[in-house]
PDB file of all heavy atoms in Angstrom:
ATOM      1  N   LEU A  68      60.441 -16.494  72.347  1.00 87.00           N
ATOM      2  CA  LEU A  68      61.540 -15.753  71.714  1.00 87.00           C
ATOM      3  C   LEU A  68      61.077 -14.628  70.811  1.00 87.00           C
ATOM      4  O   LEU A  68      61.900 -13.913  70.255  1.00 87.00           O
ATOM      5  CB  LEU A  68      62.393 -16.738  70.900  1.00 87.00           C
ATOM      6  CG  LEU A  68      62.974 -17.926  71.661  1.00 87.00           C
ATOM      7  CD1 LEU A  68      63.723 -18.860  70.728  1.00 87.00           C
ATOM      8  CD2 LEU A  68      63.899 -17.431  72.782  1.00 87.00           C
ATOM      9  N   PHE A  69      59.757 -14.439  70.688  1.00 91.00           N
ATOM     10  CA  PHE A  69      59.271 -13.465  69.703  1.00 91.00           C
ATOM     11  C   PHE A  69      58.411 -12.372  70.325  1.00 91.00           C
ATOM     12  O   PHE A  69      57.581 -11.756  69.658  1.00 91.00           O
ATOM     13  CB  PHE A  69      58.510 -14.196  68.596  1.00 91.00           C
ATOM     14  CG  PHE A  69      59.362 -15.162  67.834  1.00 91.00           C
ATOM     15  CD1 PHE A  69      59.392 -16.499  68.214  1.00 91.00           C
ATOM     16  CD2 PHE A  69      60.164 -14.737  66.804  1.00 91.00           C
ATOM     17  CE1 PHE A  69      60.207 -17.399  67.556  1.00 91.00           C
ATOM     18  CE2 PHE A  69      60.991 -15.631  66.147  1.00 91.00           C
ATOM     19  CZ  PHE A  69      61.003 -16.961  66.506  1.00 91.00           C
ATOM     20  N   ARG A  70      58.618 -12.109  71.611  1.00 88.00           N
ATOM     21  CA  ARG A  70      57.848 -11.068  72.295  1.00 88.00           C
ATOM     22  C   ARG A  70      58.133  -9.686  71.683  1.00 88.00           C
ATOM     23  O   ARG A  70      57.225  -8.865  71.556  1.00 88.00           O
ATOM     24  CB  ARG A  70      58.188 -11.059  73.783  1.00 88.00           C
ATOM     25  CG  ARG A  70      57.697 -12.287  74.530  1.00 88.00           C
ATOM     26  CD  ARG A  70      58.045 -12.174  76.015  1.00 88.00           C
ATOM     27  NE  ARG A  70      57.371 -11.049  76.624  1.00 88.00           N
ATOM     28  CZ  ARG A  70      56.158 -11.084  77.134  1.00 88.00           C
ATOM     29  NH1 ARG A  70      55.461 -12.219  77.085  1.00 88.00           N
ATOM     30  NH2 ARG A  70      55.608 -10.019  77.686  1.00 88.00           N
ATOM     31  N   GLN A  71      59.392  -9.444  71.321  1.00 90.00           N
ATOM     32  CA  GLN A  71      59.749  -8.130  70.792  1.00 90.00           C
ATOM     33  C   GLN A  71      59.075  -7.875  69.443  1.00 90.00           C
ATOM     34  O   GLN A  71      58.589  -6.772  69.169  1.00 90.00           O
ATOM     35  CB  GLN A  71      61.269  -8.006  70.635  1.00 90.00           C
ATOM     36  CG  GLN A  71      61.734  -6.612  70.257  1.00 90.00           C
ATOM     37  CD  GLN A  71      61.340  -5.562  71.274  1.00 90.00           C
ATOM     38  OE1 GLN A  71      61.556  -5.721  72.468  1.00 90.00           O
ATOM     39  NE2 GLN A  71      60.730  -4.472  70.794  1.00 90.00           N
ATOM     40  N   GLU A  72      59.041  -8.903  68.590  1.00 93.00           N
ATOM     41  CA  GLU A  72      58.392  -8.734  67.288  1.00 93.00           C
ATOM     42  C   GLU A  72      56.898  -8.473  67.451  1.00 93.00           C
ATOM     43  O   GLU A  72      56.322  -7.621  66.745  1.00 93.00           O
ATOM     44  CB  GLU A  72      58.604  -9.989  66.429  1.00 93.00           C
ATOM     45  CG  GLU A  72      60.006 -10.144  65.852  1.00 93.00           C
ATOM     46  CD  GLU A  72      61.063 -10.497  66.891  1.00 93.00           C
ATOM     47  OE1 GLU A  72      60.707 -11.006  67.982  1.00 93.00           O
ATOM     48  OE2 GLU A  72      62.256 -10.279  66.634  1.00 93.00           O
ATOM     49  N   LEU A  73      56.259  -9.187  68.392  1.00 94.00           N
ATOM     50  CA  LEU A  73      54.842  -8.961  68.634  1.00 94.00           C
ATOM     51  C   LEU A  73      54.604  -7.598  69.279  1.00 94.00           C
ATOM     52  O   LEU A  73      53.590  -6.954  69.049  1.00 94.00           O
ATOM     53  CB  LEU A  73      54.290 -10.075  69.534  1.00 94.00           C
ATOM     54  CG  LEU A  73      54.227 -11.469  68.890  1.00 94.00           C
ATOM     55  CD1 LEU A  73      53.700 -12.491  69.892  1.00 94.00           C
ATOM     56  CD2 LEU A  73      53.349 -11.472  67.653  1.00 94.00           C
ATOM     57  N   LYS A  74      55.559  -7.183  70.103  1.00 92.00           N
ATOM     58  CA  LYS A  74      55.453  -5.861  70.718  1.00 92.00           C
ATOM     59  C   LYS A  74      55.540  -4.764  69.655  1.00 92.00           C
ATOM     60  O   LYS A  74      54.813  -3.770  69.700  1.00 92.00           O
ATOM     61  CB  LYS A  74      56.558  -5.685  71.747  1.00 92.00           C
ATOM     62  CG  LYS A  74      56.535  -4.323  72.440  1.00 92.00           C
ATOM     63  CD  LYS A  74      57.706  -4.180  73.379  1.00 92.00           C
ATOM     64  CE  LYS A  74      57.748  -2.762  73.909  1.00 92.00           C
ATOM     65  NZ  LYS A  74      58.917  -2.516  74.768  1.00 92.00           N
ATOM     66  N   ASN A  75      56.460  -4.952  68.699  1.00 93.00           N
ATOM     67  CA  ASN A  75      56.580  -3.989  67.613  1.00 93.00           C
ATOM     68  C   ASN A  75      55.278  -3.907  66.798  1.00 93.00           C
ATOM     69  O   ASN A  75      54.848  -2.819  66.407  1.00 93.00           O
ATOM     70  CB  ASN A  75      57.741  -4.370  66.692  1.00 93.00           C
ATOM     71  CG  ASN A  75      59.085  -4.225  67.367  1.00 93.00           C
ATOM     72  OD1 ASN A  75      59.212  -3.511  68.362  1.00 93.00           O
ATOM     73  ND2 ASN A  75      60.093  -4.902  66.844  1.00 93.00           N
ATOM     74  N   LEU A  76      54.672  -5.070  66.569  1.00 95.00           N
ATOM     75  CA  LEU A  76      53.394  -5.091  65.857  1.00 95.00           C
ATOM     76  C   LEU A  76      52.327  -4.349  66.660  1.00 95.00           C
ATOM     77  O   LEU A  76      51.532  -3.585  66.107  1.00 95.00           O
ATOM     78  CB  LEU A  76      52.953  -6.544  65.610  1.00 95.00           C
ATOM     79  CG  LEU A  76      51.567  -6.715  64.943  1.00 95.00           C
ATOM     80  CD1 LEU A  76      51.549  -6.092  63.560  1.00 95.00           C
ATOM     81  CD2 LEU A  76      51.210  -8.197  64.863  1.00 95.00           C
ATOM     82  N   ALA A  77      52.327  -4.579  67.965  1.00 94.00           N
ATOM     83  CA  ALA A  77      51.363  -3.899  68.858  1.00 94.00           C
ATOM     84  C   ALA A  77      51.509  -2.396  68.772  1.00 94.00           C
ATOM     85  O   ALA A  77      50.511  -1.661  68.716  1.00 94.00           O
ATOM     86  CB  ALA A  77      51.538  -4.398  70.278  1.00 94.00           C
ATOM     87  N   ASN A  78      52.753  -1.934  68.773  1.00 94.00           N
ATOM     88  CA  ASN A  78      52.996  -0.487  68.692  1.00 94.00           C
ATOM     89  C   ASN A  78      52.495   0.087  67.375  1.00 94.00           C
ATOM     90  O   ASN A  78      51.898   1.177  67.325  1.00 94.00           O
ATOM     91  CB  ASN A  78      54.497  -0.190  68.835  1.00 94.00           C
ATOM     92  CG  ASN A  78      55.002  -0.400  70.244  1.00 94.00           C
ATOM     93  OD1 ASN A  78      54.220  -0.372  71.199  1.00 94.00           O
ATOM     94  ND2 ASN A  78      56.296  -0.624  70.385  1.00 94.00           N
ATOM     95  N   ARG A  79      52.717  -0.654  66.281  1.00 95.00           N
ATOM     96  CA  ARG A  79      52.279  -0.174  64.972  1.00 95.00           C
ATOM     97  C   ARG A  79      50.763  -0.165  64.862  1.00 95.00           C
ATOM     98  O   ARG A  79      50.179   0.709  64.206  1.00 95.00           O
ATOM     99  CB  ARG A  79      52.914  -1.029  63.864  1.00 95.00           C
ATOM    100  CG  ARG A  79      54.421  -0.842  63.776  1.00 95.00           C
ATOM    101  CD  ARG A  79      55.089  -1.754  62.765  1.00 95.00           C
ATOM    102  NE  ARG A  79      54.816  -1.363  61.394  1.00 95.00           N
ATOM    103  CZ  ARG A  79      55.419  -1.897  60.345  1.00 95.00           C
ATOM    104  NH1 ARG A  79      56.346  -2.839  60.514  1.00 95.00           N
ATOM    105  NH2 ARG A  79      55.131  -1.506  59.100  1.00 95.00           N
ATOM    106  N   MET A  80      50.116  -1.143  65.519  1.00 95.00           N
ATOM    107  CA  MET A  80      48.654  -1.161  65.504  1.00 95.00           C
ATOM    108  C   MET A  80      48.059  -0.048  66.374  1.00 95.00           C
ATOM    109  O   MET A  80      47.000   0.497  66.060  1.00 95.00           O
ATOM    110  CB  MET A  80      48.138  -2.528  65.990  1.00 95.00           C
ATOM    111  CG  MET A  80      48.357  -3.662  65.004  1.00 95.00           C
ATOM    112  SD  MET A  80      47.618  -3.337  63.372  1.00 95.00           S
ATOM    113  CE  MET A  80      49.061  -2.771  62.486  1.00 95.00           C
ATOM    114  N   SER A  81      48.771   0.293  67.432  1.00 94.00           N
ATOM    115  CA  SER A  81      48.335   1.398  68.271  1.00 94.00           C
ATOM    116  C   SER A  81      48.386   2.705  67.462  1.00 94.00           C
ATOM    117  O   SER A  81      47.469   3.533  67.519  1.00 94.00           O
ATOM    118  CB  SER A  81      49.238   1.522  69.502  1.00 94.00           C
ATOM    119  OG  SER A  81      48.844   2.592  70.315  1.00 94.00           O
ATOM    120  N   ASP A  82      49.450   2.861  66.670  1.00 93.00           N
ATOM    121  CA  ASP A  82      49.573   4.044  65.817  1.00 93.00           C
ATOM    122  C   ASP A  82      48.497   4.035  64.718  1.00 93.00           C
ATOM    123  O   ASP A  82      47.958   5.072  64.352  1.00 93.00           O
ATOM    124  CB  ASP A  82      50.963   4.091  65.169  1.00 93.00           C
ATOM    125  CG  ASP A  82      52.061   4.379  66.183  1.00 93.00           C
ATOM    126  OD1 ASP A  82      51.741   4.918  67.273  1.00 93.00           O
ATOM    127  OD2 ASP A  82      53.228   4.054  65.897  1.00 93.00           O
ATOM    128  N   ALA A  83      48.196   2.829  64.204  1.00 94.00           N
ATOM    129  CA  ALA A  83      47.175   2.717  63.163  1.00 94.00           C
ATOM    130  C   ALA A  83      45.796   3.098  63.702  1.00 94.00           C
ATOM    131  O   ALA A  83      44.990   3.718  62.999  1.00 94.00           O
ATOM    132  CB  ALA A  83      47.136   1.276  62.636  1.00 94.00           C
ATOM    133  N   MET A  84      45.532   2.738  64.964  1.00 94.00           N
ATOM    134  CA  MET A  84      44.263   3.101  65.571  1.00 94.00           C
ATOM    135  C   MET A  84      44.105   4.613  65.633  1.00 94.00           C
ATOM    136  O   MET A  84      43.030   5.161  65.382  1.00 94.00           O
ATOM    137  CB  MET A  84      44.152   2.483  66.967  1.00 94.00           C
ATOM    138  CG  MET A  84      42.820   2.749  67.655  1.00 94.00           C
ATOM    139  SD  MET A  84      42.638   1.847  69.239  1.00 94.00           S
ATOM    140  CE  MET A  84      43.788   2.801  70.240  1.00 94.00           C
ATOM    141  N   LYS A  85      45.202   5.303  65.961  1.00 92.00           N
ATOM    142  CA  LYS A  85      45.157   6.765  66.007  1.00 92.00           C
ATOM    143  C   LYS A  85      44.976   7.338  64.609  1.00 92.00           C
ATOM    144  O   LYS A  85      44.267   8.314  64.406  1.00 92.00           O
ATOM    145  CB  LYS A  85      46.460   7.291  66.607  1.00 92.00           C
ATOM    146  CG  LYS A  85      46.656   6.911  68.072  1.00 92.00           C
ATOM    147  CD  LYS A  85      48.024   7.314  68.559  1.00 92.00           C
ATOM    148  CE  LYS A  85      48.296   6.747  69.932  1.00 92.00           C
ATOM    149  NZ  LYS A  85      49.685   7.006  70.391  1.00 92.00           N
TER     150      LYS A  85
END
Side-chain angles (χ1 to χ4, degrees):
L68 303 176
F69 299 93
R70 292 181 63 87
Q71 188 59 50
E72 286 71 22
L73 292 178
K74 179 183 173 184
N75 292 340
L76 176 62
N78 288 338
R79 293 175 73 171
M80 288 304 98
S81 179
D82 291 339
M84 183 174 72
K85 295 173 189 174

